[in-house]
Amino acid sequence: MTKLLVTGGAGFIGSFLAERLVEEGFDVLIIDNLSSGELSRLRNVIDRVKFIKDDLKNLSDPGGAFRGGVDTVFHLAANPEVRISVTEPRTHFDENVVTTFNVLELSRKYGGVKNIVYASSSTVYGDAKIIPTPEDHPIQPISVYGAAKAAGEIMCGTYARLYGINCVVLRYANIVGPRLRHGIIYDLLMKLKKNPGELEVLGDGTQEKSYLYITDTIDATLKAWEYAVKNGGAYTYNVGNWDSISVRDIVSIVIKASGFNPRINYKPATPDGRGGWPGDVKRMLLSIDKIVREVGWRPSMSSREAIELTAKSLAEELGVGNEGAHS
């Protein structure tokens, strides 16, 4: 049975990936320090995986995982909060850059890892000049989070060239779905839970971004991995949707899911009066032509559909809303 390692496997994307890998019959190991991950996300598979609580900021082999015949590492361990990277850049260097180096070095040192799938981000492009943004667009991040992800991409590519490890870099758009505990939908719902009468929204509401549902994300991840295993080498793919949606539309969807009728207070925090915080990309829409063409994956639902499904499920999970609002 092929052995696979998921770093950050108790996180949002990682937990769904682990579930899918177990369902497909793989031997799954998970490493997570539970700083942002939650064991409850793994309740459906915890008895069928090997879980190791450890911190990849330390260059050690947690539980002998990298010496245990692991074929592929899905590296998803990271601090996902883009806003925090602006105010606490050291945190993102340690948790996103240092951990990526350590994963690559452990994979090289113990020699058994043949493939690495690296979870990168659309934030590596910054405020892109070309929309939809292709993979060959210049890398110009405007957040430390984006810079950390870009650094990880470069290290992955270098290790692939130097040591013959197949590497897939996946530049995810905004990924949404059940169990999500960061980002705009979660933030808005938590604000409404605290104060149903008023809703503060970061930015002027005209920001427009692409969103992808978690099941589509896992499909793309596995198809890209299978392609790299079959063909060998290093690959970089955007993983997003065909369309985008504005913050104002997201606010409307979230309010509908909550059943409340709050007063909305838009709060721009950037010099141009649009963005919600320094480092906030105003518009993000990735070109997914390359992954569609080479890998054969395509999303099954639009950004709006992904937001609607997520807002409904998260409102239920978080206990937000009037009775009957989620029916």
Side-chain angles (χ1 to χ4, degrees):
M1 184 184 296
T2 303
K3 186 176 290 187
L4 309 175
L5 172 60
V6 181
T7 73
F12 167 52
I13 299 176
S15 63
F16 278 96
L17 176 62
E19 281 186 352
R20 179 74 172 273
L21 294 173
V22 169
E23 288 170 4
E24 297 197 2
F26 293 105
D27 184 3
V28 178
L29 286 74
I30 293 172
I31 299 174
D32 201 303
N33 66 3
L34 300 181
S35 60
S36 58
E38 301 173 10
L39 270 180
S40 61
R41 288 179 170 135
L42 295 168
R43 59 181 173 271
N44 295 331
V45 293
I46 193 63
D47 59 339
R48 291 179 284 166
V49 301
K50 179 181 179 182
F51 179 82
I52 302 168
K53 183 182 178 182
D54 211 318
D55 198 326
L56 287 163
K57 292 194 291 291
N58 305 313
L59 187 55
S60 61
D61 185 9
F66 288 83
R67 284 171 286 187
V70 168
D71 174 86
T72 298
V73 176
F74 293 88
H75 179 40
L76 283 82
N79 187 313
E81 291 286 358
V82 181
R83 270 180 284 167
I84 290 176
S85 78
V86 178
T87 57
E88 300 176 30
R90 180 77 201 195
T91 297
H92 277 251
F93 176 80
D94 290 338
E95 296 185 8
N96 296 1
V97 178
V98 173
T99 56
T100 299
F101 169 77
N102 287 347
V103 165
L104 291 166
E105 185 60 7
L106 288 166
S107 299
R108 177 198 71 82
K109 185 176 180 181
Y110 295 108
V113 176
K114 302 181 183 68
N115 313 285
I116 291 177
V117 179
Y118 174 62
S120 187
S121 165
S122 62
T123 59
V124 299
Y125 297 117
D127 278 320
K129 305 297 187 293
I130 301 172
I131 302 288
T133 308
E135 286 86 350
D136 60 0
H137 187 281
I139 300 300
Q140 296 174 323
I142 61 172
S143 65
V144 176
Y145 175 83
K149 285 297 186 181
E153 287 190 11
I154 293 170
M155 286 193 290
C156 285
T158 302
Y159 267 71
R161 288 186 290 273
L162 274 175
Y163 306 115
I165 301 173
N166 298 327
C167 178
V168 185
V169 169
L170 301 177
R171 292 174 178 163
Y172 292 129
N174 292 320
I175 311 303
V176 295
R179 307 179 199 158
L180 184 63
R181 293 298 182 267
H182 68 275
I184 185 171
I185 305 173
Y186 175 76
D187 289 347
L188 292 176
L189 285 169
M190 292 304 289
K191 288 175 180 177
L192 286 169
K193 185 174 184 177
K194 184 177 180 181
N195 182 3
E198 184 171 359
L199 181 61
E200 180 185 88
V201 180
L202 301 180
D204 70 352
T206 63
Q207 310 101 297
E208 191 170 312
K209 301 177 186 180
S210 182
Y211 290 79
L212 187 68
Y213 199 68
I214 185 63
T215 50
D216 280 337
T217 305
I218 301 306
D219 287 343
T221 301
L222 295 184
K223 282 184 177 291
W225 167 55
E226 290 163 358
Y227 182 85
V229 169
K230 179 181 178 180
N231 296 285
Y235 303 88
T236 299
Y237 295 113
N238 289 334
V239 179
N241 221 319
W242 299 110
D243 62 352
S244 57
I245 185 170
S246 73
V247 166
R248 288 182 182 269
D249 284 342
I250 293 173
V251 170
S252 296
I253 291 169
V254 170
I255 288 174
K256 181 179 178 181
S258 75
F260 295 131
N261 185 28
R263 181 173 65 257
I264 303 170
N265 176 27
Y266 288 98
K267 187 181 177 183
T270 55
D272 65 2
R274 290 187 60 200
W277 64 88
D280 181 20
V281 173
K282 309 302 187 303
R283 189 179 181 207
M284 182 273 290
L285 176 61
L286 301 177
S287 168
I288 57 173
D289 291 347
K290 183 180 177 184
I291 193 170
V292 170
R293 181 178 66 252
E294 294 186 2
V295 176
W297 168 85
R298 61 184 61 237
S300 68
M301 65 180 76
S302 68
S303 291
R304 174 175 286 275
E305 290 169 329
I307 294 289
E308 288 173 341
L309 203 54
T310 300
K312 186 172 185 287
S313 61
L314 286 190
E316 293 172 353
E317 283 179 35
L318 301 170
V320 180
N322 295 326
E323 187 175 346
H326 312 132
S327 60

